[in-house]
Amino acid sequence: MDNAYKDSMKLKEVLIKTLTKKQLEKAPSSFDVIGSKENAIAIVEIDKALLKKQKHIAEAIMSLHKNVSSVLRKDSARKGKYRTRDMKIIKGTRKTEVVHVENGCRFFLDPRKVYFSPREGTERLRLAQLVHGNTMVFFAGVGAFPIVLAKHAHVACVGIEINPIAVEYFKKNIALNKAHNVIAVEGDVKDNAKTHAHLFDHVILPLPETAAMYTKEAALCLKGKGTAHVYFFAAEHEAEEKAWRIQKKMSRYVNSSTVVRTQKVLPYGPRIWKYRTDISIEKESRR
């Protein structure tokens, strides 16, 4: 049983005192906690029918997590090229910058200004078991993937991120973790791929909505032999076919490509999962 499920069950147990049975059915099924044992914020999605009860929900969350100093309500889906969402503070301090602790690393960030998912911590560590050489991370955010990989896989990493605020946090996190083998690059992946051509053993594309659109750039950044780790959303029965389609796109830009594995990562929606497919490639020798 995962922590998100256990938290949702505990939350409903607390809310029994303040919500009707009908309201309880619409109570949040999960929420995220970002931060440390000393200070954290919680992010929750609340049904419109429960907006009048949102402070009760926030108080319940804070009673379960004594370190939570602020509870934010999601007010929009992720949007725009920076992948951020609108959020409203429903209880607690207005200071929403925190230091998130994960896998022996610390990440300074404000989730109202940058993309960050605490649910991907296990996946970041899992990927650190697979990389073994110079690694490029597209859509690197505040540097979570590059810094975890650098620390646990002992590899040199470059991360490209388009959001200038995220890049500032990324650079601070490099210093915070003394990750001297990590470089943060501000800009668009398509504009920066040529600058980093043929340099990497691994390229990670962690943005499942659009990662498959960047197979050309991934192929360009890889050495003569290497591996692209591409994330995507799919129903279970579609996963193998989608991985095959991504591999076929990659094959346009390399001499040969093979799907090594396709890993289920996280649930995303009803019967929809986030997956990662690892595609091994070989390019023609450059002269």
Side-chain angles (χ1 to χ4, degrees):
M1 187 181 295
D2 63 34
N3 289 333
Y5 178 76
K6 287 189 286 186
D7 277 349
S8 68
M9 294 303 292
K10 289 180 182 177
L11 180 60
K12 291 189 176 185
E13 289 173 10
V14 176
L15 289 171
I16 285 174
K17 302 172 185 176
T18 54
L19 300 185
T20 66
K21 185 177 180 181
K22 188 175 181 180
Q23 289 172 334
L24 205 59
E25 290 174 358
K26 295 185 177 182
S29 58
S30 64
F31 57 92
D32 290 329
V33 176
I34 299 176
S36 65
K37 291 180 180 178
E38 291 73 33
N39 183 49
I41 60 172
I43 301 172
V44 63
E45 188 167 357
I46 298 177
D47 191 282
K48 288 182 180 180
L50 293 180
L51 289 181
K52 290 184 178 180
K53 295 290 185 177
Q54 63 181 358
K55 287 194 176 179
H56 293 293
I57 294 170
E59 288 166 358
I61 291 171
M62 294 174 90
S63 73
L64 291 171
H65 294 268
K66 304 298 185 184
N67 59 329
V68 168
S69 59
S70 186
V71 179
L72 310 183
R73 185 189 76 217
K74 297 178 184 178
D75 259 10
S76 74
R78 296 202 179 277
K79 58 186 181 178
K81 61 182 180 180
Y82 296 161
R83 298 164 286 149
T84 55
R85 67 167 92 240
D86 297 330
M87 297 189 199
K88 180 179 177 61
I89 299 172
I90 55 177
K91 190 171 180 65
T93 176
R94 298 192 65 79
K95 181 176 171 57
T96 51
E97 278 189 329
V98 292
V99 176
H100 182 73
V101 178
E102 170 198 306
N103 299 319
C105 302
R106 293 177 294 165
F107 302 110
F108 183 48
L109 64 109
D110 186 337
R112 301 181 81 187
K113 299 177 180 177
V114 300
Y115 172 85
F116 181 79
S117 173
R119 301 185 186 199
E120 295 172 354
T122 299
E123 171 63 9
R124 287 188 270 268
L125 198 57
R126 184 188 292 128
L127 199 56
Q129 310 304 313
L130 301 179
V131 302
H132 52 74
N134 291 348
T135 301
M136 165 65 81
V137 181
F138 292 170
F139 333 117
V142 299
F145 264 108
I147 290 169
V148 170
L149 297 179
K151 179 178 177 66
H152 291 278
H154 308 290
V155 296
C157 289
V158 174
I160 301 175
E161 170 58 42
I162 197 169
N163 181 349
I165 297 175
V167 174
E168 286 304 306
Y169 281 119
F170 189 173
K171 290 176 179 178
K172 290 176 182 178
N173 291 330
I174 290 172
L176 187 62
N177 291 278
K178 299 180 180 178
H180 306 302
N181 49 348
V182 177
I183 297 173
V185 176
E186 180 181 340
D188 185 85
V189 167
K190 290 187 180 292
D191 295 336
N192 281 274
K194 286 183 180 180
T195 309
H196 298 88
H198 318 300
L199 296 177
F200 299 93
D201 301 285
H202 298 265
V203 175
I204 299 166
L205 297 82
L207 186 59
E209 296 92 339
T210 57
M213 297 168 57
Y214 293 83
T215 50
K216 180 179 180 179
E217 289 73 23
L220 180 60
C221 289
L222 287 167
K223 294 179 180 178
K225 293 182 180 181
T227 305
H229 307 273
V230 187
Y231 290 77
F232 63 93
F233 291 129
E236 288 188 20
H237 68 278
E238 299 176 318
E240 287 189 15
E241 181 184 348
K242 281 203 171 183
W244 176 79
R245 275 191 253 152
I246 294 169
Q247 179 259 323
K248 292 297 288 183
K249 286 191 72 173
M250 183 74 71
S251 69
R252 300 174 191 171
Y253 312 109
V254 298
N255 197 37
S256 65
S257 62
T258 305
V259 173
V260 178
R261 71 180 66 78
T262 299
Q263 170 76 48
K264 185 183 282 187
V265 178
L266 283 169
Y268 180 71
R271 295 181 292 278
I272 302 295
W273 287 76
K274 178 190 283 189
Y275 287 87
R276 184 195 73 246
T277 188
D278 303 324
I279 302 172
S280 175
I281 67 97
E282 185 169 347
K283 298 192 283 189
E284 293 181 359
S285 297
R286 292 179 295 120
R287 297 187 179 182

